[in-house]
Amino acid sequence: MSIIATNIKKTFGAYTALEGVSLNVPAGKLVALLGPSGSGKTTLLRIIAGLEFADEGSGRIEFHGEDVTETPAGKRGVGFVFQHYALFRHMTVAQNIAFGLTVRPRKERPPQKEIDARVQELLKLIQLEDLGNRFPTQLSGGQRQRVALARALAVQPKVLLLDEPFGALDARVRKDLRRWLRHFQREIGITTIFVTHDQEEALELADEVVVMNNAKIEQVGTPQEVYDRPSTPFVIEFLGNVNRFAALGHPLHGAGSDVLYVRPHDVDIQRDYHGEHGIRVRVQHVFSAGNYGRIALIRADNGETIDAELSRVRLAELSLQVGDEVWVVFRHIRLFPAGAFSERDVATDDAIPATLDAGRGI
Ligand code: ATP
């Protein structure tokens, strides 16, 4: 079931929550709506669900080519899971999962045996086969969210909409659940839209990431595309750590203050450097827990900080100490003209252009 949203506008009084947003979700894909708080993600999701409607006369929502713009939520065939597991406390896990089926009018309700079988199947799917008789208070937060998902799936929705479903969970459980969800979504192949403000979650989970900012979509692409080829400064800054420098007087782009970005893992540190592109820096801090070492460096020429990320092996080779004077070389940079939101990529795999070296002032 594909989903197409076209030119969706939504205002709340004088406030514009969505400014003509269009989105195309191919059937069976898992798409993440990613953006900071207030960017319009939830509003867009609720409009797709039919829990909210676009402004009068604007926009169109299609499910599998069918216009559902005016169709109420109950008739759209969507399964919805929110951040706060809204399980019924007085019902067992099995009763919670069965809820959507048991409340159907008698004529549409499957026989009890069929409902029981469906619940068992879903309990297996969410890997909680033995917990059907427990009550929600006897489950962990992660288990409750899996039950909420099973409950949403019980009525066999055509589309699954998830609004920060793991937002209330701790980091470890979140990570496990997101892997589980990805696996599970692929297995059943249901078209899924997932709202998150956590870039790592979006990049790890989604087939496509929709980056939202200020009521608009900034970029749509695979995780690799949005990370490696960000189309706006907002996207590069939002997706992970990045060093940002004012690049004055770049000869390729004329005068003016362009902005240059370098990811910490594209900063190489060298003890001895004899090329023209090195920047002299002093080691300020070395943090080496985990797989990577993170190093804060201070530029000798202007005191700016540069963050670098190196493998543990490379870090050990360099045996960096606080106060050491070393060189950095950028492996890959991105340059955006000041104030403009069009990107000009001057990335190079060899070394940075001579014009960007320390002497010319980045
Ligand atoms: P978050 O991550 O914080 O949930 P979001 O990107 O999902 O943010 P939305 O919930 O879509 O953002 O809200 C977008 C903007 O619209 C916010 O500024 C919010 O205050 C406003 N808004 C949302 N719903 C309403 C409403 N019912 N009435 C008035 N303003 C609203």
Side-chain angles (χ1 to χ4, degrees):
M1 170 77 63
S2 62
I3 303 170
I4 298 177
T6 313
N7 195 27
I8 305 294
K9 292 190 189 122
K10 181 70 184 173
T11 48
F12 294 107
Y15 185 82
T16 302
L18 292 173
E19 216 178 298
V21 165
S22 298
L23 178 67
N24 187 348
V25 181
K29 295 282 181 207
L30 197 164
V31 168
L33 301 184
L34 171 70
S37 185
S39 53
K41 312 177 293 289
T42 296
T43 304
L44 179 58
L45 195 76
R46 288 174 61 83
I47 290 173
I48 290 169
L51 296 168
E52 194 86 68
F53 290 88
D55 288 351
E56 197 75 35
S58 97
R60 181 181 160 96
I61 306 284
E62 287 162 62
F63 281 8
H64 199 59
E66 187 191 331
D67 188 342
V68 296
T69 316
E70 308 284 334
T71 310
K75 298 219 153 49
R76 287 196 190 183
V78 296
F80 215 102
V81 179
F82 301 93
Q83 176 170 352
H84 293 286
Y85 14 86
L87 298 180
F88 302 114
R89 295 163 61 90
H90 61 286
M91 289 184 192
T92 64
V93 164
Q95 288 166 341
N96 262 286
I97 296 175
F99 180 76
L101 296 171
T102 52
V103 296
R104 279 187 177 168
R106 195 175 286 275
K107 271 193 288 181
E108 294 168 34
R109 196 187 314 157
Q112 190 58 41
K113 248 171 96 179
E114 226 173 87
I115 295 181
D116 292 345
R118 178 104 187 104
V119 168
Q120 274 315 310
E121 193 188 319
L122 285 161
L123 279 169
K124 202 168 158 199
L125 198 67
I126 60 167
Q127 295 158 358
L128 296 179
E129 271 166 294
D130 300 326
L131 304 188
N133 292 324
R134 287 217 189 153
F135 286 91
T137 49
Q138 299 169 314
L139 300 180
S140 72
Q143 290 170 334
R144 276 183 241 172
Q145 272 312 62
R146 272 144 63 188
V147 175
L149 209 58
R151 191 177 60 177
L153 291 168
V155 294
Q156 292 176 305
K158 295 174 270 183
V159 162
L160 193 56
L161 304 176
L162 309 170
D163 192 354
E164 302 259 7
F166 310 141
L169 305 171
D170 69 55
R172 178 69 211 269
V173 179
R174 244 181 120 107
K175 231 175 177 149
D176 288 348
L177 267 192
R178 90 166 72 123
R179 295 218 168 116
W180 171 81
L181 175 69
R182 188 175 56 183
H183 184 74
F184 157 94
Q185 189 272 340
R186 300 235 158 110
E187 201 169 285
I188 64 171
I190 186 169
T191 310
T192 303
I193 306 181
F194 182 98
V195 163
T196 182
H197 63 266
D198 178 338
Q199 40 94 10
E200 195 185 306
E201 191 160 274
L203 294 178
E204 191 177 315
L205 197 60
D207 296 308
E208 288 218 331
V209 179
V210 176
V211 185
M212 294 188 68
N213 179 34
N214 272 334
K216 283 191 281 219
I217 291 176
E218 291 262 339
Q219 187 174 2
V220 180
T222 62
Q224 203 177 350
E225 278 163 2
V226 293
Y227 189 81
D228 289 340
R229 304 198 62 78
S231 60
T232 68
F234 174 83
V235 176
I236 199 167
E237 291 196 29
F238 194 69
L239 291 181
N241 297 330
V242 72
N243 292 293
R244 185 183 200 274
F245 309 103
L248 294 168
H250 193 294
L252 290 177
H253 305 135
S257 184
D258 294 350
V259 179
L260 183 149
Y261 292 96
V262 187
R263 296 271 186 216
H265 56 76
D266 285 323
V267 175
D268 189 27
I269 300 178
Q270 303 191 11
R271 285 240 172 238
D272 297 302
Y273 181 74
H274 305 291
E276 332 161 42
H277 311 311
I279 299 171
R280 195 73 174 143
V281 293
R282 186 167 40 77
V283 177
Q284 187 192 35
H285 183 70
V286 180
F287 175 80
S288 65
N291 287 339
Y292 293 93
R294 267 174 254 140
I295 302 104
L297 304 148
I298 302 285
R299 284 177 62 150
D301 57 348
N302 63 11
E304 271 185 329
T305 303
I306 300 177
D307 289 324
E309 201 174 273
L310 302 182
S311 70
R312 289 283 289 266
V313 175
R314 179 82 184 124
L315 191 62
E317 263 169 30
L318 287 163
S319 71
L320 292 176
Q321 303 299 321
V322 171
D324 283 358
E325 303 240 325
V326 290
W327 295 93
V328 300
V329 181
F330 299 151
R331 276 191 288 260
H332 186 98
I333 61 171
R334 298 195 82 78
L335 195 72
F336 290 93
F341 277 66
S342 68
E343 172 222 19
R344 274 179 279 178
D345 185 9
V346 292
T348 156
D349 288 333
D350 321 322
I352 57 163
T355 46
L356 297 175
D357 72 11
R360 302 289 282 267
I362 290 172

